[in-house]
Amino acid sequence: MPVVKVPHASLYWKLDGRDDAPALILLNSIGTDMGLWDAALPYLREHFALLRIDTRGHGASTAEPGDYTLQLLAEDVLAAADAAGLSHFSLAGVSLGGMIGMELALNSPDRLHKLALICTSATMDPASWNDRIAKVRTEGMAAIADLAMGRFLSEAFLAGNPAVYETVRRNFISMDAEAYAGCGAAIRDMDLSNRISRIACPTLVVTGSRDSSTPYEGHGDYLVAQIPGASHCPLGAAHLAPLEAPAALAGLLVSFLEG
């Protein structure tokens, strides 16, 4: 199993697709692992060398307790890219993954070709995230499972895909509560809103029409307005777009990244 050691953590990463194709890094949301992208892989493998990374403390990646920062999580991505032999790449990130992508675009612009921001934001309510972090640290992951799942996937998707819903919920409840809290601190404390106007790479903003966490209004629209030249594509999905609309999302990514 490919693992890279970084300060206070071990990161699991995996390569898929074609070795001779352009590199694309796929990042997951908080509370999920690289399996978030499984359903989209058949539509992406022929186009890219795909690097997936379990975020610090998620999936098969381990991490010591503490409050993490977006800068730390962006450095994790670079460490995994180096371990995989990728000097330059594009990046598609969902939710927290998109936030990490913006931080990386600001701090390491020489590494990044294009950026796809999926169901994400440059600003979230710090007070609500502080409450969520405290609840997880005192009561465990089950205490916020209903809240998270109500935003992750739409009722329409649940009705037709109960096994997928149950799998996501099971994995969510079983994850390391301290690692979730650590990544939650990175969201709570992020400082992106006044900086993203300096992102220089071509950027695509994808928003979900059923996403109640980071809808276009108040989140996606701000990204489009602040990031120079950013384009926007709506998608019929809730927050976990790669699960709810994998083919449509992959089509948007291929068109943007190969265009």
Side-chain angles (χ1 to χ4, degrees), residues 183-217:
C183 286
I187 296 174
R188 179 195 64 198
D189 300 336
M190 67 178 170
D191 178 26
L192 289 172
S193 60
N194 295 322
R195 300 164 58 219
I196 58 173
S197 61
R198 301 201 298 269
I199 292 178
C201 65
T203 302
L204 171 68
V205 177
V206 178
T207 56
S209 61
R210 297 187 286 272
D211 181 9
S212 61
S213 290
T214 54
Y216 179 74
E217 295 77 11

Side-chain angles (χ1 to χ4, degrees), residues 196-197 205 216 219-230:
I196 58 173
S197 61
V205 177
Y216 179 74
H219 295 276
D221 56 356
Y222 185 82
L223 299 178
V224 174
Q226 292 296 312
I227 299 174

Side-chain angles (χ1 to χ4, degrees), residues 69-185:
T69 65
L70 283 188
Q71 181 176 348
L72 176 67
L73 299 178
E75 290 169 356
D76 287 349
V77 172
L78 293 180
D82 290 344
L86 305 181
S87 58
H88 299 86
F89 48 82
S90 293
L91 186 147
V94 179
S95 190
L96 173 59
M99 299 167 191
I100 297 169
M102 286 184 273
E103 186 72 26
L104 196 151
L106 290 164
N107 291 341
S108 302
D110 56 311
R111 302 289 297 270
L112 196 58
H113 289 308
K114 294 185 178 182
L115 178 63
L117 304 174
I118 303 159
C119 298
T120 191
S121 182
T123 179
M124 301 294 286
D125 179 29
S128 64
W129 270 98
N130 206 45
D131 291 344
R132 192 185 305 192
I133 292 164
K135 195 173 189 67
V136 164
R137 282 181 165 151
T138 56
E139 301 178 37
M141 294 298 293
I144 64 164
D146 289 342
L147 170 68
M149 293 304 301
R151 298 176 177 181
F152 275 176
L153 299 166
S154 68
E155 292 185 5
F157 182 83
L158 167 59
N161 303 272
V164 175
Y165 180 93
E166 291 170 12
T167 299
V168 174
R169 182 185 175 89
R170 186 185 308 114
N171 290 342
F172 182 86
I173 291 174
S174 65
M175 80 166 290
D176 182 348
E178 279 294 337
Y180 181 95
C183 286

